[in-house]
Amino acid sequence: MLNFNFYNPTQIVFGQGQLSQLDSLVPKNAKVLITYGGGSVVRNGVLAQVKAELAKSARSVSEFGGIESNPKFATAMQAVERVRAEQIDFLLAVGGGSVMDATKFIALAAANADYQGQEEQLLIHGFNPVPVNNAIALGTVATLPATGSEMNCFAVISRGEDKLPVYSPLTFPKFSILDPELTYTLPAIQVANGVVDAFVHVVEQYVTYPTGAHFQDRTAEGILQTLLEIGKTTVDEPSNYAARSNLVWSATMALNGLIGSGVPHDWSVHMLGHELTALFGVDHAQSLAVVLPSMWRVRREPKREKLLQYAERVWGITEGGDEARIDAAIANTEAFFNSLGIATRLSAHGIDQQGVERVLQALEKHGMVALSERGDVTLEVSRQVLEMAL
Amino acid sequence: MLNFNFYNPTQIVFGQGQLSQLDSLVPKNAKVLITYGGGSVVRNGVLAQVKAELAKSARSVSEFGGIESNPKFATAMQAVERVRAEQIDFLLAVGGGSVMDATKFIALAAANADYQGQEEQLLIHGFNPVPVNNAIALGTVATLPATGSEMNCFAVISRGEDKLPVYSPLTFPKFSILDPELTYTLPAIQVANGVVDAFVHVVEQYVTYPTGAHFQDRTAEGILQTLLEIGKTTVDEPSNYAARSNLVWSATMALNGLIGSGVPHDWSVHMLGHELTALFGVDHAQSLAVVLPSMWRVRREPKREKLLQYAERVWGITEGGDEARIDAAIANTEAFFNSLGIATRLSAHGIDQQGVERVLQALEKHGMVALSERGDVTLEVSRQVLEMAL
């Protein structure tokens, strides 16, 4: 087991009817800005419920809607202006990962005067924490199980064709309300995306190389098994509480730091996926589903031991030689994604060899030339992966 | 899955050499009281290392040693007087569960003036949080993997023949340093106790009745499998880092609230065990090992589905009828404890029928007449369990 530092102070309030806790979770005298996305929370009534709860104490409450998928720097900056103008001291994100991510950035940009006028400088720190001492307090009402943003301090912000990470220990939500019933009205494709997103989050921290971290491995396998058990059901039966509650909690646990403590991380699938999203607008999860099987086929040697462990423990594959078991595990993974209606080929998104070249140029521009748990995903390896995924 | 609230803000600093983080974790200007136990941390040099790290900044540092196993109210109160007299503002527990538990009580008693002179009133709240608004900040350097106290807010304090729980959200450690190497000098029996303690913590939250909480079940099973995989090795080979690091992290994860979120809890084994410890001085973990197998034999009906799941997933028992599989799982559990040198009979501790009567009187006195996840462990059921364990 590698040395690690684990810290996650977000309070999770999970289950049916838990929106009723909101009045006790948000400070009674707060000046609240509710942030949300394209309006689904208006149409399904969640925003109205949130406002009714907040109105139980004498708070000032205003709203900022219109945060898009892959939230844009420019959009978030509009909210930052609102926060400054209205002296907001609590941000409540009501939505999915994009709304939560944007809200984390808003919390940082609005609270650090030394970045004023040059807030884009908050986005240059890559996978290092932003060196700031302040953030506006934030909470979330999570309506889309997928990204794990409700229980971590990470955000990804889009600026032009760049998807840029930003985080600080100060951007953990104070609380997140996870009521699975609030997700019932999601389109099936978004639920399927959520299953795939959570699945790939786990394998980026698990299918690397062994470090003898038993608890982390078993817990990662437990999340994957859970997603296999309930994935199809929760896409097909949106109001099945048993299935949906397991998706919601699994998606949170997939990326809250726990299973990634003391083990190597890959994230090369995400880095290639980010470029596909930025260049071609492929949904985040769908970009991962395209890259993952080919990445594993290309990198079967450096991942051999963990792929075999994955084959046996997650899929129960114990027959056949090593190569056959690895092949079967990858094929099963691809079939699982496909069973949810998620494609695993670039061609399904209309991306051809010319597109591959554009992705490679973007990876080079972004310095993504030595990715993965071993730093061995060079541009040449990325080329092999992308061409295999055509 | 049941509704739940999960909150755990303790920062975990895990691994070899992590004592070197202490200077950055404890406030630079703090007035620190180091609390410890019977002196093993003096003899093995850990206390000296801790003091050397704290001396890297201009802190005032004093010490309070002599906290016993099953820490006594009277002992903790001596430390409370020291905290008041010296205006201590940071408590650093260096030791195992008893030291950490006592330190949590000290943190509450010393910071709440309205309890002054009647600090025993902090212990009357049972399994409800103490209604207080203050606690001295505390951190831990954990030297004994067992109780999970390093990452939860709970403490158990002994007063006369009573073992009394006390907790508050304010008594989470700010941080816990978990360096598996600091545990190498523990006597083998204490390591074995730790394995059993962690094991029983898990099953009290897992072998109850099903609620369809897949992640929690899989994670509980993962901890149990890990303890089976490394338990004997870490007792026999104290300097085996791979095994010991897995014990340390598993013991922490067994009782930090995670696997217990959204599922029923039992804890009847602990309640009977507490009386055995209070009356006869049986080590905590050894009291649990005595009670558990008999508890499961007596309560196989209310626990049937989970015992079968436990048999299959933790022990791989898939052959035979239901009764045979349950019998085998219980027998395997008992054999596992025995393989670590831990007895599973009252007679091994010199406790006879007369002792059983005393335990039953104590349970009645303490109101422990409707224990377990179903409230069905009456005094009569406890009698059956204890007599079966003779």
Side-chain angles (χ1 to χ4, degrees):
Chain A
M1 197 182 304
L2 310 179
N3 284 3
F4 65 85
N5 197 310
F6 177 80
Y7 171 65
N8 194 319
T10 299
Q11 179 179 0
I12 297 295
V13 182
F14 189 102
Q16 293 164 301
Q18 297 286 36
L19 260 189
S20 63
Q21 304 293 320
L22 201 52
D23 182 40
S24 64
L25 291 164
V26 177
K28 302 281 186 191
N29 56 353
K31 298 182 94 163
V32 182
L33 183 67
I34 301 172
T35 53
Y36 61 95
S40 63
V41 297
V42 178
R43 293 187 293 279
N44 65 19
V46 172
L47 184 64
Q49 288 179 64
V50 165
K51 287 162 71 175
E53 290 299 328
L54 291 176
K56 289 181 177 171
S57 297
R59 304 178 177 89
S60 111
V61 177
S62 58
E63 300 167 31
F64 180 88
I67 296 169
E68 59 280 284
S69 296
N70 307 301
K72 290 180 182 164
F73 174 78
T75 307
M77 282 308 301
Q78 292 172 25
V80 170
E81 297 305 328
R82 284 278 302 281
V83 170
R84 287 178 181 145
E86 298 177 20
Q87 297 184 289
I88 296 297
D89 57 18
F90 199 94
L91 295 165
L92 184 63
V94 181
S98 295
V99 174
M100 295 188 269
D101 280 16
T103 304
K104 291 174 185 175
F105 176 79
I106 296 162
L108 287 171
N112 291 282
D114 45 335
Y115 281 90
Q116 192 157 352
Q118 48 182 347
E119 291 83 356
E120 69 281 359
Q121 297 290 312
L122 289 163
L123 301 175
I124 63 169
H125 301 279
F127 288 100
N128 296 303
V130 183
V132 295
N133 294 317
N134 305 300
I136 310 278
L138 69 99
T140 90
V141 175
T143 62
L144 198 164
T147 71
S149 190
E150 61 276 10
M151 201 184 182
N152 66 43
C153 62
F154 294 97
V156 179
I157 300 297
S158 293
R159 190 154 183 264
E161 286 185 353
D162 299 336
K163 288 193 75 170
L164 300 162
V166 56
Y167 76 98
S168 156
L170 300 171
T171 47
F172 279 105
K174 302 294 180 199
F175 66 82
S176 284
I177 294 177
L178 309 184
D179 179 349
E181 295 189 336
L182 299 184
T183 74
Y184 285 178
T185 55
L186 286 169
I189 189 64
Q190 289 198 33
V191 179
N193 281 349
V195 175
V196 171
D197 199 14
F199 197 96
V200 181
H201 286 160
V202 175
V203 299
E204 294 267 38
Q205 304 166 83
Y206 162 65
V207 181
T208 56
Y209 54 83
T211 59
H214 296 236
F215 169 79
Q216 293 89 325
D217 279 4
R218 296 279 186 194
T219 305
E221 291 153 2
I223 299 174
L224 297 175
Q225 289 170 299
T226 299
L227 292 169
L228 294 181
E229 285 163 348
I230 57 87
K232 187 91 173 80
T233 303
T234 200
V235 171
D236 293 345
E237 304 173 18
S239 305
N240 180 325
Y241 188 81
R244 185 59 57 89
S245 59
N246 276 290
L247 172 60
V248 170
W249 193 220
S250 291
T252 301
M253 295 304 305
L255 198 55
N256 70 352
L258 185 72
I259 63 169
S261 292
V263 298
H265 290 207
D266 185 341
W267 300 115
S268 61
V269 174
H270 270 71
M271 295 305 105
L272 271 63
H274 280 180
E275 306 299 358
L276 291 170
T277 300
L279 291 172
F280 306 105
V282 180
D283 281 1
H284 173 61
Q286 297 185 33
S287 77
L288 307 176
V290 165
V291 177
L292 182 72
S294 295
M295 183 66 80
W296 280 354
R297 289 189 175 106
V298 170
R299 297 190 65 232
R300 62 194 298 146
E301 280 314 317
K303 290 186 183 290
R304 171 171 296 273
E305 287 169 274
K306 277 309 207 46
L307 281 169
L308 286 166
Q309 181 177 324
Y310 167 73
E312 177 175 345
R313 293 198 190 166
V314 176
W315 291 103
I317 300 168
T318 55
E319 305 286 308
D322 286 4
E323 303 311 321
R325 282 181 284 151
I326 290 173
D327 287 339
I330 298 173
N332 283 3
T333 307
E334 202 164 1
F336 174 60
F337 295 165
N338 294 159
S339 78
L340 303 174
I342 305 287
T344 46
R345 293 284 150 181
L346 287 169
S347 54
H349 299 284
I351 300 169
D352 58 13
Q353 182 69 41
Q354 207 171 8
V356 168
E357 303 301 336
R358 288 183 62 194
V359 173
L360 289 167
Q361 286 161 16
L363 286 169
E364 186 166 18
K365 173 187 163 198
H366 295 142
M368 301 289 173
V369 297
L371 301 170
S372 96
E373 71 276 14
R374 298 182 191 267
D376 61 353
V377 176
T378 60
L379 284 181
E380 181 50 35
V381 173
S382 291
R383 174 180 293 281
Q384 288 176 48
V385 170
L386 292 163
E387 290 182 349
M388 187 176 283
L390 275 168
Chain B
M1 198 182 302
L2 310 179
N3 283 4
F4 66 85
N5 197 309
F6 178 80
Y7 172 65
N8 194 320
T10 299
Q11 179 178 2
I12 297 295
V13 183
F14 190 102
Q16 292 164 302
Q18 297 285 36
L19 260 189
S20 63
Q21 304 293 320
L22 201 51
D23 183 40
S24 65
L25 291 165
V26 177
K28 300 283 186 190
N29 57 354
K31 299 184 92 163
V32 182
L33 183 67
I34 301 172
T35 53
Y36 61 95
S40 62
V41 297
V42 178
R43 292 187 294 278
N44 66 17
V46 172
L47 184 65
Q49 289 179 65
V50 165
K51 287 161 71 177
E53 290 299 328
L54 291 176
K56 289 180 176 171
S57 297
R59 303 178 177 91
S60 111
V61 177
S62 59
E63 301 167 29
F64 180 88
I67 296 170
E68 59 280 287
S69 297
N70 307 301
K72 291 178 183 166
F73 175 76
T75 307
M77 282 308 301
Q78 292 172 26
V80 170
E81 297 304 329
R82 284 278 300 282
V83 171
R84 287 179 181 145
E86 299 177 18
Q87 297 183 289
I88 298 295
D89 57 19
F90 199 93
L91 296 165
L92 183 63
V94 182
S98 295
V99 173
M100 295 188 268
D101 280 17
T103 304
K104 291 174 185 176
F105 175 79
I106 297 163
L108 288 171
N112 289 284
D114 44 336
Y115 281 90
Q116 193 158 352
Q118 48 181 347
E119 292 84 358
E120 69 280 0
Q121 297 290 314
L122 289 162
L123 302 175
I124 63 169
H125 301 279
F127 287 99
N128 297 302
V130 182
V132 295
N133 295 316
N134 304 299
I136 310 278
L138 68 100
T140 90
V141 176
T143 62
L144 198 163
T147 70
S149 190
E150 62 276 10
M151 201 184 182
N152 66 43
C153 63
F154 293 96
V156 179
I157 301 297
S158 293
R159 191 156 184 262
E161 286 185 351
D162 299 335
K163 289 193 75 170
L164 300 162
V166 57
Y167 76 98
S168 156
L170 300 170
T171 47
F172 279 104
K174 301 293 180 200
F175 65 83
S176 283
I177 294 178
L178 308 184
D179 179 349
E181 294 189 338
L182 300 185
T183 74
Y184 284 178
T185 55
L186 285 170
I189 188 64
Q190 288 197 33
V191 179
N193 282 349
V195 175
V196 171
D197 200 14
F199 197 97
V200 181
H201 286 160
V202 175
V203 299
E204 295 266 38
Q205 303 166 84
Y206 162 64
V207 182
T208 56
Y209 55 83
T211 58
H214 295 237
F215 169 80
Q216 292 89 325
D217 278 4
R218 296 278 186 195
T219 305
E221 290 153 4
I223 299 174
L224 296 175
Q225 288 170 301
T226 299
L227 292 169
L228 295 181
E229 284 162 349
I230 59 85
K232 186 91 175 78
T233 304
T234 199
V235 171
D236 292 346
E237 304 172 20
S239 304
N240 180 324
Y241 188 81
R244 186 59 57 88
S245 59
N246 276 290
L247 171 60
V248 169
W249 194 220
S250 292
T252 300
M253 295 304 304
L255 198 57
N256 70 352
L258 186 71
I259 61 168
S261 292
V263 298
H265 290 208
D266 184 340
W267 300 114
S268 61
V269 173
H270 270 71
M271 294 305 107
L272 271 63
H274 279 179
E275 305 298 359
L276 292 169
T277 300
L279 290 171
F280 306 106
V282 179
D283 282 2
H284 173 63
Q286 297 186 33
S287 76
L288 306 177
V290 164
V291 176
L292 182 71
S294 294
M295 184 67 80
W296 280 354
R297 289 187 174 110
V298 169
R299 297 190 63 230
R300 62 194 297 146
E301 282 314 317
K303 288 185 183 293
R304 171 170 297 272
E305 287 169 276
K306 276 309 207 42
L307 281 169
L308 286 165
Q309 182 176 326
Y310 167 74
E312 178 174 344
R313 294 200 190 164
V314 176
W315 291 102
I317 300 168
T318 54
E319 304 286 306
D322 285 2
E323 303 310 321
R325 282 182 283 151
I326 291 173
D327 286 340
I330 298 173
N332 283 5
T333 307
E334 202 163 1
F336 175 60
F337 295 166
N338 294 159
S339 78
L340 303 173
I342 304 287
T344 46
R345 294 283 149 182
L346 287 169
S347 53
H349 297 285
I351 299 169
D352 57 11
Q353 182 69 40
Q354 208 172 6
V356 169
E357 303 301 335
R358 288 183 63 193
V359 173
L360 290 167
Q361 286 161 16
L363 287 169
E364 185 165 18
K365 174 188 162 197
H366 295 140
M368 300 290 173
V369 296
L371 301 170
S372 97
E373 71 275 14
R374 296 183 192 265
D376 61 355
V377 176
T378 60
L379 284 181
E380 181 49 36
V381 172
S382 290
R383 174 180 291 281
Q384 288 176 48
V385 170
L386 292 163
E387 290 183 348
M388 188 178 282
L390 275 168

